[in-house]
């Protein structure tokens, strides 16, 4: 049975942030993720999670929201000190919220020096947070130009180099389709590394229903393969979020 999660950064934006938790529960979700919760009092989020019996599946690192700024810096050699300082802040938030996963963003960089920096920072992070599940996610260059981790083969290389059981892959179907043109084939190659799944339809990044990807079949495949992690809706609703939740039925 699939376990569905609502990304509250993308969904229910017609509501004030703290009201989105109740809407997610009423919409049929048992967990939520918030990309950048750092501008909100952590205790207020904890209260909403408890009030509506929701789990926090994932948050992003680094803080704060990178809107208008850099999308992380784990692979940016000149920002190594900043990454490690901000990772510790993100880790405190993750622990307070009970976040199952903490997603580490690579940032904009390129080349062998960036790869070495990324691997070194991830090794450091896995040692600094031995009990926290950590993820990395390939992101396509149309959505985030210049993002270092823009390839699934690179993601595997990095994960195998770090070789830590609590550092795994965050698999976003939209990014997989954009990067490779073959979401299902990419899933088949990478599923042994996956800890968390995010979904959106191609090509418009709306609800995972009608479009290029057969999501009912994909969800059935995940269940048959024994995937027991969260499946998070990370998409731009066509209109009111609640009107488009038929995909989780």
């Amino acid at each position: 049975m699939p376990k569905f999660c609502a990304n509250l950064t993308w969904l229910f934006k017609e509501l004030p942030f703290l009201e989105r938790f109740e809407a997610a529960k009423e919409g049929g979700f048992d967990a939520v993720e918030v990309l950048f919760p750092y501008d909100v009092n952590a205790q207020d989020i904890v209260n909403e999670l408890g009030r509506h019996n929701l789990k926090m599946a994932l948050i992003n690192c680094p803080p704060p929201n990178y809107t208008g700024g850099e999308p992380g810096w784990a692979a940016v050699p000149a920002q190594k000190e900043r990454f490690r300082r901000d990772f510790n802040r993100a880790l405190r938030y993750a622990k307070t919220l009970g976040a199952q996963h903490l997603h580490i963003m690579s940032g904009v960089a390129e080349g062998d020096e960036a790869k070495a920096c990324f691997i070194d920072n991830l090794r450091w992070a896995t040692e600094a947070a031995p009990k926290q599940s950590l993820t990395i996610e390939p992101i396509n260059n149309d959505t985030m130009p210049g993002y270092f981790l823009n390839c699934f083969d690179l993601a595997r290389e990095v994960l195998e180099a770090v070789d830590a059981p609590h550092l795994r892959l965050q698999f976003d179907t939209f990014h997989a389709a954009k990067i490779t043109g073959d979401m299902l084939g990419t899933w088949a190659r990478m599923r042994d590394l996956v800890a968390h799944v995010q979904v959106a339809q191609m090509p418009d990044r709306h609800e995972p229903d009608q479009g290029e990807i057969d999501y009912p079949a994909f969800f059935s495949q995940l269940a048959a393969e024994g995937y027991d992690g969260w499946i998070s809706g990370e998409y731009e609703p066509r209109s009111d979020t609640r009107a488009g939740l038929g995909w989780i039925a």
Side-chain angles (χ1 to χ4, degrees):
M1 183 76 178
K3 301 191 305 182
F4 292 117
C5 169
N7 184 306
L8 297 188
T9 304
W10 287 73
L11 305 188
F12 304 105
K13 288 188 290 187
E14 58 272 18
L15 298 172
F17 176 72
L18 289 175
E19 294 180 18
R20 298 176 195 177
F21 294 83
E22 180 177 11
K25 188 65 176 183
E26 291 177 348
F29 296 100
D30 293 319
V32 297
E33 62 181 27
V34 179
L35 299 187
F36 299 96
Y38 305 101
D39 292 335
V40 182
N41 183 286
Q43 189 58 51
D44 290 341
I45 297 176
V46 170
N47 292 344
E48 289 302 309
L49 292 169
R51 185 173 293 124
H52 304 295
N53 192 26
L54 289 165
K55 298 181 184 300
M56 179 63 74
L58 177 143
I59 64 173
N60 279 0
C61 170
N65 191 319
Y66 65 81
T67 301
E70 300 171 80
W73 31 78
V76 182
Q79 296 281 24
K80 182 173 285 189
E81 181 179 344
R82 182 176 183 181
F83 165 75
R84 297 185 179 193
R85 180 181 67 245
D86 286 349
F87 175 83
N88 286 326
R89 182 185 171 202
L91 182 62
R92 290 194 296 270
Y93 254 81
K95 289 179 177 178
T96 299
L97 302 182
Q100 182 174 351
H101 306 298
L102 179 59
H103 167 216
I104 298 176
M105 302 189 73
S106 72
V108 173
E110 62 180 356
D112 291 340
E113 185 181 4
K115 181 169 70 174
C117 177
F118 194 36
I119 291 170
D120 187 50
N121 275 333
L122 291 173
R123 284 175 175 156
W124 174 88
T126 59
E127 293 172 2
K131 296 182 180 180
Q132 174 66 56
S133 172
L134 306 172
T135 64
I136 58 173
E137 174 191 20
I139 297 177
N140 79 84
N141 274 334
D142 289 338
T143 298
M144 200 167 286
Y147 193 73
F148 175 73
L149 189 60
N150 59 10
C151 170
F152 282 88
D153 290 337
L154 176 59
R156 179 177 287 278
E157 181 181 354
V158 167
L159 289 172
E160 290 179 350
V162 177
D163 192 25
H166 58 299
L167 174 67
R168 300 184 68 197
L169 185 69
Q170 184 171 317
F171 187 91
D172 185 302
T173 59
F174 175 79
H175 290 306
K178 290 278 286 184
I179 292 168
T180 71
D182 179 12
M183 186 278 284
L184 289 175
T186 306
W187 169 259
R189 288 193 299 112
M190 305 301 295
R191 63 189 178 192
D192 60 304
L193 301 175
V194 174
H196 187 68
V197 172
Q198 295 168 321
V199 295
Q201 190 52 273
M202 281 286 290
D204 49 22
R205 209 172 187 180
H206 290 324
E207 284 85 347
D209 45 27
Q210 69 265 27
E212 296 179 9
I213 301 171
D214 183 349
Y215 274 104
F218 181 56
F219 297 151
S220 295
Q221 178 181 339
L222 295 186
E225 292 173 351
Y227 173 75
D228 61 357
W230 295 107
I231 302 171
S232 178
E234 187 186 70
Y235 59 86
E236 186 68 46
R238 295 185 185 92
S239 57
D240 181 89
T241 302
R242 285 162 286 200
L245 292 180
W247 65 274
I248 72 169

